[in-house]
Amino acid sequence: MNDILPEQSPAWQYLEEKFLGVVNNYSYGEIRTPLVEQTELFNRSIGEVTDIVEKEMYCFEDRNGERIALRPEGTASIVRAGIEHGLLFNQTQRFWYRGPMFRYEKPQKGRYRQFHQIGVEAFGMGGADIDAEVILLSASLWRSLGIIDSLTLEINSLGSNEARAQYKRALVEFLSEREEQLDDDSKRRLHTNPLRILDSKDASTQALLDGAPNLLDYLDEDSQAHFSALRAILDSANIKYVINSRLVRGLDYYNKTVFEWTTDKLGAQGTVCAGGRYDGMVEQLGGKSTPAVGFAMGEERLLLLLETLGVLPSSAGESLDIYLSAQEKGLQPQVILLAEELRSQFPGLKIRTHCAGLKNILNKARQSGAQKIVLIKTMQAGGITATLWHGQQITADLTVANLIEALDSEN
Ligand code: ATP
Ligand code: MG
């Protein structure tokens, strides 16, 4: 779990502002849900035999003996909230969210125990057009960040529950005959969650899978048409993609469309955004059947990518406009008040006051990197004597009014 320090925050703000611009552009509304939920909510939505539920959740009992968990992801809470507030049935909704998520993982570059996701969820729309829209929304963010050329869109279709169940049987049959060649994790999954074997990181398991039945051959007609429609929209929108029939995603709840945006620039943690359709979840959690699609992206991974590619604006949040200080001891309280006046006059500027000893004040002020330095010599009702520096001394002995004027004309 990381601290995010002031020198790092401008990059986070930059990313989040870009995202905000995009979701506004697409008319999605923000939803904020609590960081804790009943553990049961995640067990039921994410699935009992997923990595998250089996070994990654922070679960505890509260003082009343209720089993609660720090949220490992955002979708379950949003579905819970949507049902609770009657936002879903017979309606369409487009939400976005951001915030910390918690998973007990092995920490490494791009993988942390508290990490941050931003994401979108769209409810009440079952067609391929909305699947395309959320993908296009993500592509729009990549374009505005200048990273689209470093990302690959991978898509797949998991089909209907029945088609997937049929495929699962075929896959298990194929792999059971070759069980001894599987890695240990996959051996275990063969009996718990066989589809997850498809995204095993083990090279010999992957080689074995080359001969396995292909998920896309098992698609039901409806899912096939849905997948073609999605591809047609992506083609017309000039969004390049690869079809990866082994893309199944870590969470249990998906059907039909799944997708990931990946990069080869971040090593093993190369997925920066992942999502798909989860038509069964609302009903699973007690609501009326409602189709849904969404994605989540990892902010840490995106920031690592922006940094690696050198596309973070260097000035983000840095430059200080005015450094304001007293030159004589007793004047500090008045300087604070003068700073208030300047800030209300120039709400767009960064104005910092000096609130410490006055020894070597000009040097200290210069070290701040401020564009302009204002040193107050005397201050009486209505008038001040000040020195204004901008690289070199440019003005001395000002009144408040012409200090403001001088700062203004310099802007
Ligand atoms: P992975 O296969 O990398 O574990 P996942 O399938 O568990 O990913 P999702 O639950 O789909 O990931 O989360 C969506 C995105 O959130 C991921 O693509 C990734 O960018 C980010 N993410 C997930 N887990 C972490 C983590 N522990 N630390 C940082 N980012 C993460
Ligand atoms: Mg994971």
Side-chain angles (χ1 to χ4, degrees), residues 130-383:
I130 187 69
D131 297 15
E133 181 180 279
V134 301
I135 292 175
L136 292 170
L137 185 158
S138 57
S140 165
L141 178 64
W142 313 144
R143 270 195 302 275
S144 82
L145 291 168
I147 57 175
I148 194 153
D149 293 335
S150 302
L151 293 173
T152 303
L153 173 63
E154 297 181 27
I155 61 172
N156 192 21
S157 176
L158 302 180
S160 64
N161 292 345
E162 302 75 49
R164 206 160 56 255
Q166 231 178 36
Y167 173 70
K168 214 186 267 189
R169 278 195 294 277
L171 182 68
V172 169
E173 191 177 322
F174 174 87
L175 291 176
S176 297
E177 288 162 15
R178 298 158 179 84
E179 190 167 348
E180 70 292 348
Q181 299 174 54
L182 290 171
D183 62 280
D184 288 344
D185 242 6
S186 299
K187 272 186 190 138
R188 198 172 49 84
R189 284 180 169 150
L190 188 55
H191 307 286
T192 54
N193 193 353
L195 285 187
R196 287 304 310 279
I197 297 175
L198 293 179
D199 66 11
S200 162
K201 306 265 189 303
D202 186 86
S204 58
T205 296
Q206 278 301 329
L208 188 65
L209 287 166
D210 286 340
N214 188 325
L215 178 58
L216 290 174
D217 295 334
Y218 285 74
L219 285 193
D220 51 292
E221 229 167 82
D222 179 38
S223 300
Q224 262 175 37
H226 188 102
F227 198 42
S228 312
L230 169 65
R231 280 169 9 223
I233 301 174
L234 294 177
D235 289 336
S236 316
N238 272 325
I239 298 287
K240 292 192 207 77
Y241 56 84
V242 295
I243 295 172
N244 174 0
S245 63
R246 293 186 195 168
L247 182 65
V248 287
R249 311 280 314 107
L251 301 85
D252 251 6
Y253 50 57
Y254 291 108
N255 66 296
K256 288 185 178 157
T257 309
V258 287
F259 65 92
E260 289 191 356
W261 287 94
T262 60
T263 176
D264 56 12
K265 307 248 168 4
L266 295 180
Q269 272 57 250
T271 302
V272 296
C273 173
R277 177 164 282 286
Y278 52 98
D279 293 336
M281 199 203 289
V282 175
E283 198 171 7
Q284 167 96 8
L285 293 180
K288 295 251 169 50
S289 173
T290 305
V293 58
F295 67 70
M297 49 181 89
E299 291 194 72
E300 283 83 356
R301 290 187 195 176
L302 279 169
L303 288 167
L304 279 169
L305 180 61
L306 294 177
E307 217 171 276
T308 307
L309 296 173
V311 294
L312 276 172
S314 56
S315 62
E318 271 168 24
S319 69
L320 182 62
D321 297 298
I322 298 172
Y323 197 95
L324 178 66
S325 175
Q327 232 173 346
E328 308 291 337
K329 232 179 172 179
L331 285 175
Q332 279 122 324
Q334 283 148 284
V335 164
I336 291 293
L337 298 177
L338 176 61
E340 289 295 287
E341 204 170 327
L342 294 180
R343 288 185 185 116
S344 74
Q345 198 73 35
F346 303 111
L349 296 190
K350 270 192 206 252
I351 301 175
R352 186 184 298 167
T353 56
H354 182 84
C355 297
L358 298 178
K359 219 170 134 205
N360 290 330
I361 178 61
L362 190 56
N363 281 342
K364 285 177 189 160
R366 281 183 172 144
Q367 276 161 19
S368 74
Q371 291 281 309
K372 288 161 201 162
I373 298 166
V374 180
L375 298 182
I376 308 296
K377 231 178 302 172
T378 68
M379 201 162 178
Q380 279 113 25

